[in-house]
Amino acid sequence: MTFNSIDFAVFMPVVFFIYWALSKNLKMQNIFLLVASYFFYVWWDWRYLSLILLCTAVNYIAGLLLMKTEVQKWRKTILVICCFICFGVLGVFKYYNFFVHTFVDAFSLFGVKLQAHTLNLILPVGISFYTFHTLSYTIDVYRRHFSSTKDIISFALFVSIFPLAMAGPIERATNLLPQIYVKRKFDYSQTVDGMRQILWGLFKKIVIADSCAEIVNYVFANYNILPGSSLLIGALFFTFQIYGDFSGYSDMAIGIGKLLGFKFLRNFNYPYFSRDIAEFWRRWHMSLTTWFRDYLYIPLGGSRASKRKIVRNTFIIYLVSGFWHGANWTFIVWGLYHALLFVPLIVTGRNRKYTNAVAEGKLFPGIKETGQIFLTFFLVMIGWIFFRANTISEATEYLNGMLQFDTLKAFYRIASYPVFWICCAMLIIEWFGRQEQCALFKFGKEWNKGVRWSFYYILIGIIFYFAQIGGIQTFIYFQF
């Protein structure tokens, strides 16, 4: 069951009405939402539920044990055991075969042939997200930033709440658990905002991402026989695809949370309007970026260390981030690539230069800012080629072929695709709404009510049209 499926179109209204019908009884409301979340997850494969239950039990018990002991030695032991179990499960399902193949390949370089024994395992949907989700709770309890909970229903709901179950955002206990504890009141304005955000997320997923996917899949499958202009088109449309796909999911998840009375963490802040790579990473997959910052980068010394150590820490963060995305050397190279782009900013002390919205208070950016945005977009697009390719050699061959293109022919061909102009329209709408959490919170807000609603109905019509001609595509980040 996905947010863009007919199944979910039936599931969500049923959950919504029963959920708010139980609003006078918080415990029953939480129990119902927990059951609905488990049902949502079981819809994929009932076997996946056992891992969520294991992750829930381990971290719940670890939190209780951490609160019962003041001896630092035992507290650290509890945390290590909890991390070992959670990362161990993640490692077996996601990385075991990768390590086996890498080990065998390393020995083959010296002429030693080993027999590889791999596991025929299916990667459970969302395992990387809920693993980090729950570990943030245990680590915060260990650090005494948060008191552990004895309410198993509330904690289980925190771990498995269905809008976040598949692809985040990666929530924190400090933000979500207090919202689960208190009685939630139906808020009409929040519900309307949630519907707007869901609508915009569906548009980005179905109209932008899924339309780009057809072109991208063809180009990357035939990159070795296509001209450079086609490869440039493939890279450009994948850049739009992955943004529309992942930020679209995040918009829908956050919007659904608002329908249920929750305020989830923001995950995207218009990253393609960034003026350098540092700003891009403050705006892209923000819940993961801040997770690594708080639980890895700062413990390593953060930005208070010498520049040499800051550079070291940066490389560690981006390599781990790349590896988090998948068990393939392409993701590691993708992480290394972004680390290399980040280093000059650290050395020159410009990694925190842009923390405000681009062209804040202005209608259009200046010439310098426009150039910075296009350059950052291009550098990010190059990195996405490694992210999308199956192997490093495929990515390098793709890049080599892409750089051999006729500029005028390439721009003419790009402009001939209707989806390109739809992507441009999306960027225009997001530009005008770039200081809001969702572009539709600002765009058209000052319009006459009839005009504004006509615009929403046009969006709905476009979504239905593209859903019929393109079919339903799986969200990219479900594989992570």
Side-chain angles (χ1 to χ4, degrees):
M1 190 188 308
T2 60
F3 295 159
N4 56 333
S5 68
I6 298 297
D7 298 332
F8 188 77
V10 175
F11 170 82
M12 187 61 214
V14 172
V15 169
F16 178 83
F17 287 111
I18 296 177
Y19 173 82
W20 285 114
L22 297 170
S23 61
K24 292 183 179 180
N25 189 324
L26 178 61
K27 186 173 182 180
M28 287 303 299
Q29 192 180 44
N30 285 344
I31 290 174
F32 170 74
L33 190 54
L34 176 62
V35 172
S37 297
Y38 284 157
F39 177 82
F40 178 84
Y41 201 74
V42 166
W43 193 266
W44 287 89
D45 191 323
W46 64 269
R47 294 170 295 181
Y48 295 163
L49 184 60
S50 61
L51 296 178
I52 284 189
L53 293 175
L54 174 63
C55 201
T56 301
V58 169
N59 285 272
Y60 175 74
I61 294 170
L64 294 178
L65 293 175
L66 285 170
M67 289 300 292
K68 286 183 177 181
T69 179
E70 296 295 326
V71 181
Q72 185 60 24
K73 176 183 175 181
W74 291 114
R75 288 174 58 80
K76 186 174 291 186
T77 301
I78 293 167
L79 178 64
V80 169
I81 292 173
C82 180
C83 290
F84 178 80
I85 294 173
C86 292
F87 284 130
V89 172
L90 179 63
V92 169
F93 279 89
K94 191 170 182 177
Y95 302 108
Y96 177 82
N97 290 345
F98 170 78
F99 282 123
V100 168
H101 287 303
T102 301
F103 186 76
V104 171
D105 291 343
F107 272 88
S108 67
L109 295 175
F110 300 97
V112 179
K113 293 184 178 181
L114 299 176
Q115 292 294 324
H117 298 285
T118 56
L119 300 175
N120 187 24
L121 296 173
I122 300 174
L123 182 65
V125 177
I127 187 171
S128 296
F129 289 91
Y130 65 72
T131 298
F132 277 37
H133 189 68
T134 50
L135 280 175
S136 68
Y137 163 84
T138 307
I139 296 171
D140 281 347
V141 172
Y142 170 78
R143 293 176 172 178
R144 305 182 192 279
H145 293 169
F146 194 80
S147 298
S148 66
T149 179
K150 294 181 180 179
D151 186 345
I152 184 62
I153 299 298
S154 295
F155 182 74
L157 181 57
F158 158 73
V159 174
S160 59
I161 188 167
F162 74 86
L164 309 177
M166 303 303 181
I170 301 171
E171 265 295 346
R172 305 291 184 87
T174 51
N175 177 60
L176 185 52
L177 263 177
Q179 297 182 61
I180 294 175
Y181 292 151
V182 299
K183 193 173 182 179
R184 296 172 289 278
K185 294 182 180 180
F186 180 80
D187 186 324
Y188 177 78
S189 62
Q190 184 175 333
T191 301
V192 171
D193 281 345
M195 293 296 292
R196 287 196 187 103
Q197 199 155 0
I198 292 169
L199 176 62
W200 191 235
L202 283 169
F203 178 84
K204 287 196 284 187
K205 168 56 181 170
I206 295 174
V207 179
I208 300 295
D210 291 355
S211 298
C212 289
E214 296 182 16
I215 303 167
V216 171
N217 292 341
Y218 173 78
V219 171
F220 273 83
N222 300 278
Y223 73 95
N224 54 339
I225 59 173
L226 293 174
S229 57
S230 295
L231 301 186
L232 177 63
I233 289 169
L236 176 65
F237 284 146
F238 181 69
T239 303
F240 282 117
Q241 179 196 355
I242 194 166
Y243 172 68
D245 192 281
F246 193 21
S247 71
Y249 179 95
S250 294
D251 277 336
M252 285 182 268
I254 294 169
I256 292 166
K258 288 179 179 178
L259 298 187
L260 301 174
F262 294 101
K263 294 182 180 179
F264 297 147
L265 294 174
R266 191 174 187 178
N267 213 22
F268 286 86
N269 186 14
Y270 312 106
Y272 288 161
F273 298 147
S274 301
R275 288 154 288 187
D276 59 31
I277 290 297
E279 185 181 12
F280 172 80
W281 279 105
R282 282 192 291 274
R283 295 174 176 271
W284 178 275
H285 202 350
M286 296 158 66
S287 63
L288 180 67
T289 302
T290 54
W291 200 100
F292 280 127
R293 179 198 66 196
D294 294 342
Y295 301 116
L296 185 57
Y297 182 73
I298 291 177
L300 286 171
S303 299
R304 296 183 177 181
S306 63
K307 283 194 174 181
R308 181 179 63 82
K309 288 186 177 180
I310 294 173
V311 170
R312 179 205 66 183
N313 297 343
T314 300
F315 270 92
I316 291 173
I317 289 296
Y318 281 104
L319 288 174
V320 172
S321 177
F323 200 46
W324 177 90
H325 280 85
N328 194 322
W329 285 104
T330 54
F331 295 115
I332 296 175
V333 171
W334 171 74
L336 179 63
Y337 169 78
H338 277 276
L340 289 171
L341 294 177
F342 208 106
V343 166
L345 298 175
I346 294 174
V347 172
T348 58
R350 293 186 293 115
N351 55 305
R352 297 289 301 175
K353 184 176 181 180
Y354 300 114
T355 56
N356 61 322
V358 61
E360 190 170 15
K362 300 178 183 177
L363 184 60
F364 299 109
I367 295 175
K368 180 182 177 181
E369 285 183 320
T370 302
Q372 290 173 320
I373 290 171
F374 275 101
L375 176 60
T376 303
F377 182 89
F378 176 77
L379 293 173
V380 170
M381 182 181 75
I382 296 299
W384 287 135
I385 294 172
F386 286 95
F387 193 96
R388 177 60 175 77
N390 295 314
T391 63
I392 294 174
S393 61
E394 179 181 312
T396 54
E397 289 173 20
Y398 191 106
L399 272 171
N400 184 55
M402 188 187 79
L403 295 175
Q404 301 173 27
F405 68 90
D406 182 288
T407 306
L408 291 177
K409 183 179 180 181
F411 282 116
Y412 174 78
R413 290 197 61 198
I414 290 170
S416 68
Y417 285 91
V419 68
F420 170 73
W421 298 106
I422 298 174
C423 290
C424 291
M426 176 199 70
L427 290 177
I428 290 171
I429 292 172
E430 294 212 326
W431 175 262
F432 284 104
R434 68 189 183 280
Q435 296 189 52
E436 299 285 343
Q437 187 181 88
C438 173
L440 293 191
F441 292 173
K442 177 69 175 179
F443 189 82
K445 188 176 181 180
E446 306 300 326
W447 295 351
N448 174 277
K449 185 177 179 180
V451 176
R452 186 169 66 251
W453 278 97
S454 296
F455 171 68
Y456 295 153
Y457 282 122
I458 289 171
L459 282 184
I460 293 170
I462 293 172
I463 290 168
F464 273 103
Y465 173 76
F466 276 84
Q468 289 179 344
I469 65 173
I472 296 175
Q473 300 275 347
T474 303
F475 286 90
I476 294 174
Y477 266 68
F478 279 10
Q479 64 183 298
F480 306 134

